[in-house]
Amino acid sequence: MATHSGGLTTAPAPAVRITSLVREFAGRRVLDELDLSIAPDEFVALIGRSGSGKSTLLRVLGGIDHEVTGYEELTAPENVSVVFQDARLLPWKRVLDNVALGLPGSDAEARARTALAEVGLAGRENAWPVELSGGEQQRVALARSLVRDPELLLADEPFGALDALTRLRMHTLLKQLCARHRPAVLLVTHDVDEAIALADRVVVLDHGRIAADLRVDVPAPRSPGTARYAALRDELLTLLGLDPTAGTVPEPADPGASQPTDTTPKNAKGSDL
Amino acid sequence: MTQSTAPPLVAPGDPPPTDADASPPAPASTERSPGRSTARSARRSLAGAALAAALRLRRVSGLIAVLLLWWLGSGQGWLGSTTPSPGSVWSAAVELVRSGEYTHHLGVSLERVGKGLAIGIPLGIALGLAAGLTRAVEDVIDAPIQAFRMLPHLALAPVFIIWFGIGETSKTMLILIGPIFPLYINVLHGIRGVDNRLVEAARSCGLSRWGLTRRVILPGALPQILVGLRQALGIGWLTLVVAEQTATTSGIGYLMTDAREFLRTDVMFVVLVTYALLGVLSDLLVRLVERRALAWRRGYTGR
């Protein structure tokens, strides 16, 4: 069941407004009449099992996917930046030039320097990407995205390839950067804790539709110890098809693994079309 | 370079030693830390210099061994009576240089190769780029180019002499044809091999089609393009040998045919060594370009 966001009525003009978005790959519906809206400077986390259409939605919004099957409304800002799971830095450009890539204006280099300093990499401007660690590379990617002052920041599991400690550091960094630049953010993740730690709102995607849309109302230091945190976490895990009471779940298991195939109802629906 | 215009937002002590999955490669300097005592550091730098000298020696040791064997073999008669000794080849070379013949013929040959490559290399690159960047062009030109590629272009020599006469044109044309194919193939495959994820990321940074080509696709294809260039130069020299074997009165190839008439094997060897040196020199040139242009790579260098 698709729930509409409450933000629609309160925000003056949402940064993103999508209604009835359909995307099919060879007849298989990956996004099925999807509705979503994101307010300016709102941080939305998008979670769902593998194959639920998270990355597809992000690629549509990022303008990377040009073959949308259909939609009623699809509004996204002009200025969108994407952070991928891998840093995707150009290996033949030094770190500074990677950040300044495609930046217009004569102050491009100065802005790139500032952005690098913001992510804590001042002094590494002239390094080659291969000389950086995975976490540092991802920080460069973050700087490359934010230096463009995007109205919408899209992040596709940006910390998925990092170790747990680095991931926590990156969470703090991302939160601080978003507080400063105030873009609307759509963060795709499979990590429930990451979603709760960072987002204003968590949207659960299932079979190409929004299955739930929850506001994160956990008070400020969102520590996993609080009751509200635990309740929200359990709710999200249940929505992902996991039983939070079954054993100890310190780490959310790979959601895709617990439910390997979700094709049965979809195929039936797809063949009707 | 260390100016910071904004305060870093990262928690103090963040420069993370822990998030390393790709630790920065150690600098290739022999001195890893400032020596504690000057004596020790002096000894270490001395040892470093000795090691560098030994490595350099190792690199030329094979060549020296070949020369030594040649010298020994010709002296002892192992190589037959028709093989000149390195000494007689050297004196033949000195004589040729002194008479001005060598410089003249070498100049003519260099001009032929230069002209041929000056047209052939850009042509091969242009064809590769056109096919690599535009699917429609590839569809049209790939099949004929592949067909021509299978034809040994050296077999065209007699045909070119009939078409273009026995003058310089037929020679230049022959040298021009050879390098086109390795460049075409390597440029095309270099472009096709560029990581699409990088293209996607760069496009999301707002790069135009031209910017994408210049900053992402061409640099990404460059390693492969340089491989093509090395092959092209090799083929250029090879074609020169064939082009100068018939219908000519100048060039180092002529020097060789002429020497054959008088059984001057020492002169023939001078030419052979010249071919080898020219090939090595042009390869070295491309490698220098490679080292500069591909400094960002950290490839496996062997043990």
Side-chain angles (χ1 to χ4, degrees), chain A residues 86 92 131 166 169 176, chain B residues 9 14 19 197 215 298:
Chain A
D86 43 345
W92 47 83
E131 295 171 336
T166 311
R169 283 210 188 93
Q176 288 168 327
Chain B
L9 279 171
D14 190 67
D19 67 356
R197 297 171 313 145
R215 289 162 201 268
R298 292 283 185 280

Side-chain angles (χ1 to χ4, degrees), chain B:
Chain B
M1 289 303 171
T2 45
Q3 74 168 57
S4 74
T5 15
L9 279 171
V10 192
D14 190 67
T18 40
D19 67 356
D21 50 28
S23 61
S29 130
T30 47
E31 226 176 73
R32 249 160 276 156
S33 61
R36 285 213 189 100
S37 74
T38 42
R40 190 193 286 173
S41 87
R43 205 179 311 141
R44 193 187 296 157
S45 74
L46 203 69
L51 187 72
L55 281 176
R56 209 166 298 145
L57 196 68
R58 191 173 78 178
R59 240 177 261 162
V60 291
S61 58
L63 207 58
I64 291 173
V66 168
L67 280 174
L68 217 65
L69 276 175
W70 178 13
W71 177 73
L72 239 139
S74 60
Q76 303 288 316
W78 302 338
L79 301 170
S81 58
T82 47
T83 308
S85 70
S88 65
V89 171
W90 175 253
S91 48
V94 170
E95 186 196 320
L96 278 172
V97 171
R98 198 167 288 158
S99 69
E101 263 183 283
Y102 186 77
T103 345
H104 165 67
H105 289 300
L106 185 63
V108 170
S109 291
L110 285 179
E111 193 183 331
R112 283 175 185 148
V113 172
K115 270 190 198 158
L117 292 182
I119 306 171
I121 288 175
L123 196 61
I125 293 179
L127 286 170
L129 286 181
L133 297 174
T134 319
R135 261 297 148 88
V137 176
E138 186 190 357
D139 287 346
V140 174
I141 70 172
D142 192 59
I145 288 183
Q146 296 294 348
F148 276 121
R149 188 170 77 90
M150 291 307 156
L151 183 88
H153 76 286
L154 295 177
L156 289 171
V159 184
F160 275 25
I161 288 176
I162 293 172
W163 282 352
F164 304 110
I166 56 167
E168 289 302 302
T169 320
S170 65
K171 295 176 184 57
T172 309
M173 287 301 285
L174 200 63
I175 299 172
L176 184 160
I177 295 281
I180 293 178
F181 304 107
L183 275 169
Y184 170 80
I185 301 247
N186 282 291
V187 172
L188 175 59
H189 284 258
I191 290 175
R192 289 278 173 273
V194 173
D195 191 343
N196 194 42
R197 297 171 313 145
L198 291 181
V199 175
E200 232 175 54
R203 193 178 282 146
S204 83
C205 286
L207 281 190
S208 62
R209 196 185 148 93
W210 165 237
L212 212 59
T213 306
R214 196 163 64 93
R215 289 162 201 268
V216 184
I217 295 173
L218 289 187
L222 191 61
Q224 192 72 41
I225 294 177
L226 287 174
V227 169
L229 191 61
R230 277 168 88 168
Q231 291 176 358
L233 288 174
I235 289 181
W237 295 118
L238 179 74
T239 317
L240 177 76
V241 176
V242 176
E244 287 185 336
Q245 262 175 6
T246 43
T248 178
T249 54
S250 59
I252 51 173
Y254 167 74
L255 206 57
M256 183 127 153
T257 10
D258 193 48
R260 192 187 56 200
E261 301 297 315
F262 301 98
L263 290 175
R264 287 288 305 271
T265 47
D266 50 349
V267 175
M268 294 171 80
F269 267 68
V270 172
V271 177
L272 289 179
V273 172
T274 306
Y275 281 135
L277 286 180
L278 288 173
V280 168
L281 276 178
S282 57
D283 202 58
L284 210 66
L285 208 71
V286 182
R287 269 155 74 176
L288 272 178
V289 173
E290 254 178 16
R291 198 182 302 170
R292 281 196 68 95
L294 306 182
W296 50 272
R297 284 212 299 191
R298 292 283 185 280
Y300 179 65
T301 51
R303 299 183 62 170

